[in-house]
Amino acid sequence: MRSIVYFIKEALVNSRRNIGTAIGAIITIFLSLLIVGVFSITSLIINNVVNEVEQEVNISFYLSDNAANANVQAMEAQLRSNPLVSSVTYLSKDQALQKFKSMPGQDNQNFVNELSGNPLPASLEINLVDPENVQQVVDSIEQNPLFTKIAQEPTKPDNSLLYGQEIVPKLFAASNIIRVVSAILVLMMVIVALIFIYNTIRLAITARKTEIEIMRLVGASNRFIRGPFLMEGAIQALVAAVLAILAIQFLVDFGLPLISNMIPWLPVSIAGGTVTLVCFALLVVGLIIGVLGSWLAMRKHLRV
Amino acid sequence: MPEQQTPTASQSSNDEFIDFLLSDQKTPEHTLKQQAQAVKAARHAATGRQQASFRPAAKPAIVFDRVTKVYQAQPGKPALNKVTLQIAFGEFVFLVGHSGSGKSTFIRLLNRELTSTRGTILVGGENLSTIKKWRIPYLRRNVGCVFQDFKLLPKKTAFENVAFALQVIGKSKAVIRNQVPEVLRLVGLGDKQHKRPDQLSGGEQQRVSIARAIVNRPPMLICDEPTGDLDPQTSLGIMKLLERINHTGTTVVVATHDKQMVNAMRKRVITLEGGYLVRDEAEGEYSLNA
Ligand SMILES: Nc1ncnc2c1ncn2[C@@H]1O[C@H](COP(=O)(O)OP(=O)(O)OP(=O)(O)O)[C@@H](O)[C@H]1O
Ligand SMILES: [Mg+2]
């Protein structure tokens, strides 16, 4: 316990004596962690966006006005029992009209009022557990013997089942690429940051190589020499990580709303809990690299 | 007597402290068997020692058995060549020789800064070729060393440099605050305690190095040119101090060029030439050809 106090004191004194190096190290670690943090959060936001966009992929099954109620209900029940389907909602003709009226658009209200009767079909709105399975579900509906009995246009299945046939495969290909690329970028940034931080620490310690060797020669144990250096690495990493966390919180609180105002059609947002998690990870990673980096960088000077 | 910052001047005023410094050697970390033996051997040495032969009863403090040291940078020319000798506990030994004869190499082998290429070195019974890594710091705490290039910590003051030697053995703040200023006064640096090495002259740095080597009262003291940068008067003060330390049972080995000093002290003199041990005399003189 007494030696911990000694280590902290020595670390602070040494930081003050080598204030330039200490500030340099803190700035390097701060920037590295900030970049990693920003990349991680950006990648998480992009993932969110991709997920949201994917979630919008669902199947609208338009029903014939003459479809028998019993058949529709049987179809609905069969769909519900399909493990790939998460929910099925029946939308009556009236509900469809209401929905159309409330849709954002120029003049839907007036347009509907001018109509005589209701041209919109009833439908089954099918949501999927995993939107990537959309084609499979569509195929199963088309092969169902009930399909021809209740579909709006049994002869042209593509007109009765709407699920963005053209864009869906491209969307999934693109979103997968985005996910992989952003993960690789984050990983690369982490590696670059680790190398950067380690090099900074290594240079700072090499500059004090003679000091370490002298300590060895007057009989200090490795533990005793290492203590203040590791503590110094930990303190610098801690300060840098706190600064990085503050900067990231600032960006999330003030920068993110700005961006989402600029592109309102994309759901740019991130859960507060996720940000906290990223910040915590930065703190832990910073501390580990601060301490472990110092330890590694010292190793060869302690052999005297 | 005018105020003078030489050890000779401060020494007289510090007699009591010296006694304290030198008598209080049986602190826990030094209650080694070798410590007791050292004191005993010193008493014997004071009464009946003849040549550089050794009483079989006393375990030698230092044993060199055909020690050869070859530096990687100079593979063809060993810095030390088959050097064999023994130094008893409590002895005071001068190590002399031309520049490049291997004195520093000898000293640096003793505190395990270097390892021998061939041959065996025993210090306090411990074989330095096979010593466990974790024991090296303990060896060095028992073998105080004054380095030819001082090896002071550049960012620390004189006080902190000396204090460091006590910190590494876990001495309390109170002990440090009490002993460090005293030992610095002893080497004549009472008023320079808070200067960093770059604010001190070569001789002053050397004296800080000496203070650091003796402050934890090691049972063995090895000095590489401890008076190299000092004027004759200060040198004499340092030598007298080393002699007093030796009188309490500490084994002292001094590598030096200082002919006058060696001749005045009438101690055992070991002479090296080109890495060979060429002379070893009980009350020797500094006598080198050319
Ligand atoms: N690190 C080294 N690498 C290679 N050769 C070395 C090294 N250190 C010393 N030497 C050589 O070893 C020999 C002995 O050197 P040493 O330093 O022991 O001499 P010395 O007696 O202490 O000299 P001085 O009185 O000048 O201090 C010299 O020839 C020197 O050039
Ligand atoms: Mg030398």
Side-chain angles (χ1 to χ4, degrees):
Chain A
M1 201 54 223
R2 209 175 82 192
S3 58
I4 297 265
V5 175
Y6 165 81
F7 291 163
I8 293 175
K9 247 200 208 147
E10 276 293 292
L12 293 177
V13 169
N14 285 336
S15 295
R16 214 183 51 219
R17 278 177 180 154
N18 307 285
I19 188 75
T21 323
I23 289 176
I26 289 175
I27 290 176
T28 309
I29 301 174
F30 162 68
L31 288 178
S32 306
L33 292 180
L34 181 62
I35 290 171
V36 166
V38 167
F39 262 77
S40 311
I41 286 184
T42 308
S43 138
L44 287 170
I45 289 175
I46 289 174
N47 258 309
N48 271 354
V49 171
V50 169
N51 286 343
E52 294 270 339
V53 170
E54 283 184 357
Q55 280 312 320
E56 292 189 358
V57 172
N58 57 4
I59 304 168
S60 292
F61 180 6
Y62 295 110
L63 304 170
S64 156
D65 287 356
N66 310 321
N69 244 346
N71 283 343
V72 172
Q73 272 159 20
M75 179 58 113
E76 210 179 323
Q78 281 176 34
L79 279 170
R80 281 220 173 86
S81 64
N82 185 336
L84 299 178
V85 171
S86 71
S87 71
V88 184
T89 331
Y90 176 77
L91 208 64
S92 69
K93 284 176 73 73
D94 286 347
Q95 284 166 328
L97 191 66
Q98 284 306 316
K99 197 178 161 195
F100 177 72
K101 275 194 207 166
S102 63
M103 257 169 21
Q106 313 284 341
D107 258 340
N108 285 356
Q109 190 80 41
N110 297 334
F111 177 65
V112 168
N113 289 342
E114 282 163 27
L115 282 174
S116 57
N118 182 356
L120 295 174
S123 63
L124 288 175
E125 300 297 325
I126 303 156
N127 286 309
L128 304 172
V129 175
D130 182 351
E132 276 198 78
N133 296 323
V134 66
Q135 195 58 53
Q136 238 177 298
V137 178
V138 166
D139 289 347
S140 79
I141 296 172
E142 283 175 10
Q143 279 149 27
N144 193 312
L146 286 169
F147 177 73
T148 46
K149 293 184 186 159
I150 60 173
Q152 192 190 22
E153 292 182 55
T155 47
K156 291 191 201 147
D158 274 1
N159 287 355
S160 301
L161 287 166
L162 229 69
Y163 59 96
Q165 285 87 327
E166 286 79 37
I167 60 141
V168 159
K170 287 178 194 149
L171 172 72
F172 287 130
S175 61
N176 281 338
I177 288 173
I178 289 172
R179 279 198 196 98
V180 170
V181 167
S182 70
I184 288 176
L185 270 178
V186 168
L187 199 72
M188 267 165 52
M189 284 322 297
V190 169
I191 291 171
V192 167
L194 290 186
I195 292 174
F196 220 60
I197 294 173
Y198 174 66
N199 250 341
T200 309
I201 292 175
R202 201 174 52 85
L203 283 180
I205 282 180
T206 305
R208 288 161 70 186
K209 148 182 194 287
T210 355
E211 201 179 330
I212 295 170
E213 283 168 6
I214 292 171
M215 291 177 175
R216 277 289 289 171
L217 287 178
V218 300
S221 64
N222 282 353
R223 199 186 79 90
F224 192 81
I225 300 171
R226 230 184 251 133
F229 280 89
L230 299 194
M231 197 57 83
E232 212 178 318
I235 291 172
Q236 288 171 0
L238 202 70
V239 171
V242 167
L243 290 177
I245 287 170
L246 290 178
I248 284 170
Q249 284 293 355
F250 179 84
L251 287 177
V252 168
D253 289 347
F254 297 98
L256 208 54
L258 239 60
I259 293 174
S260 67
N261 279 344
M262 283 192 299
I263 38 174
W265 65 90
L266 276 182
V268 177
S269 73
I270 186 157
T274 315
V275 176
T276 311
L277 212 68
V278 169
C279 289
F280 184 72
L282 286 185
L283 193 75
V284 171
V285 168
L287 264 181
I288 290 177
I289 176 76
V291 174
L292 199 69
S294 305
W295 193 81
L296 283 176
M298 287 191 80
R299 222 172 27 160
K300 71 168 174 218
H301 305 305
L302 286 172
R303 298 215 180 106
V304 183
Chain B
M1 200 175 188
E3 259 301 298
Q4 214 178 348
Q5 276 311 319
T6 66
T8 357
S10 33
Q11 197 180 318
S12 51
S13 63
N14 270 297
D15 266 3
E16 276 171 39
F17 173 67
I18 299 174
D19 291 340
F20 160 75
L21 179 78
L22 301 178
S23 64
D24 183 28
Q25 288 207 348
K26 286 173 204 73
T27 43
E29 66 270 27
H30 289 138
T31 44
L32 299 160
K33 212 160 71 189
Q34 69 188 61
Q35 179 59 40
Q37 279 173 320
V39 178
K40 203 168 66 190
R43 256 180 242 123
H44 280 279
T47 53
R49 183 162 50 80
Q50 288 104 23
Q51 259 294 327
S53 61
F54 297 90
R55 291 167 314 285
K59 198 169 89 181
I62 297 167
V63 177
F64 269 53
D65 185 15
R66 282 160 294 163
V67 172
T68 298
K69 174 66 192 179
V70 182
Y71 286 106
Q72 266 178 352
Q74 282 195 38
K77 185 183 157 296
L80 280 185
N81 215 328
K82 299 198 192 94
V83 171
T84 298
L85 58 81
Q86 294 199 349
I87 296 172
F89 276 108
E91 264 197 290
F92 191 118
V93 178
F94 280 118
L95 189 65
V96 302
H98 291 298
S99 179
S101 58
K103 302 185 295 297
S104 294
T105 306
F106 186 98
I107 295 285
R108 292 165 71 202
L109 283 167
L110 277 180
N111 70 344
R112 189 52 168 65
E113 190 179 341
L114 301 174
T115 48
S116 62
T117 314
R118 280 183 294 279
T120 313
I121 302 171
L122 302 180
V123 172
E126 182 123 44
N127 187 334
L128 297 195
S129 309
T130 58
I131 185 172
K132 293 267 183 304
K133 247 187 132 58
W134 65 269
R135 284 195 52 83
I136 294 174
Y138 297 94
L139 169 82
R140 289 179 180 154
R141 292 171 201 179
N142 285 309
V143 182
C145 189
V146 179
F147 302 92
Q148 187 166 14
D149 56 355
F150 320 139
K151 295 211 188 297
L152 299 177
L153 295 165
K155 299 272 171 60
K156 288 189 188 289
T157 64
F159 180 96
E160 291 165 333
N161 263 286
V162 177
F164 190 75
L166 291 177
Q167 280 167 350
V168 301
I169 55 173
K171 286 289 183 192
S172 74
K173 245 201 215 131
V175 171
I176 290 170
R177 231 174 310 166
N178 181 29
Q179 293 192 0
V180 174
E182 291 292 356
V183 79
L184 280 170
R185 256 194 289 285
L186 192 61
V187 295
L189 289 175
D191 58 343
K192 300 259 166 70
Q193 289 185 34
H194 301 295
K195 296 268 187 291
R196 273 183 282 113
D198 60 4
Q199 298 164 323
L200 295 170
S201 75
E204 286 165 344
Q205 292 179 47
Q206 189 147 42
R207 283 182 275 157
V208 176
S209 176
I210 293 169
R212 181 181 59 190
I214 63 176
V215 71
N216 66 343
R217 302 171 209 118
M220 211 178 286
L221 189 60
I222 56 178
C223 312
D224 198 352
E225 307 276 2
T227 57
D229 277 336
L230 302 179
D231 55 275
Q233 201 186 3
T234 314
S235 298
L236 191 69
I238 294 293
M239 279 303 170
K240 289 290 170 206
L241 176 63
L242 293 179
E243 198 176 19
R244 295 174 75 99
I245 290 171
N246 170 246
H247 272 310
T248 65
T250 304
T251 312
V252 178
V253 178
V254 181
T256 183
H257 277 127
D258 196 333
K259 178 173 179 172
Q260 273 184 319
M261 192 68 60
V262 174
N263 291 345
M265 299 276 286
R266 315 298 310 169
K267 300 287 184 190
R268 178 177 172 193
V269 177
I270 294 168
T271 310
L272 293 174
E273 249 181 65
Y276 288 97
L277 194 161
V278 294
R279 217 170 292 118
D280 184 351
E281 296 168 325
E283 286 189 12
E285 295 226 344
Y286 189 103
S287 50
L288 287 167
N289 328 324

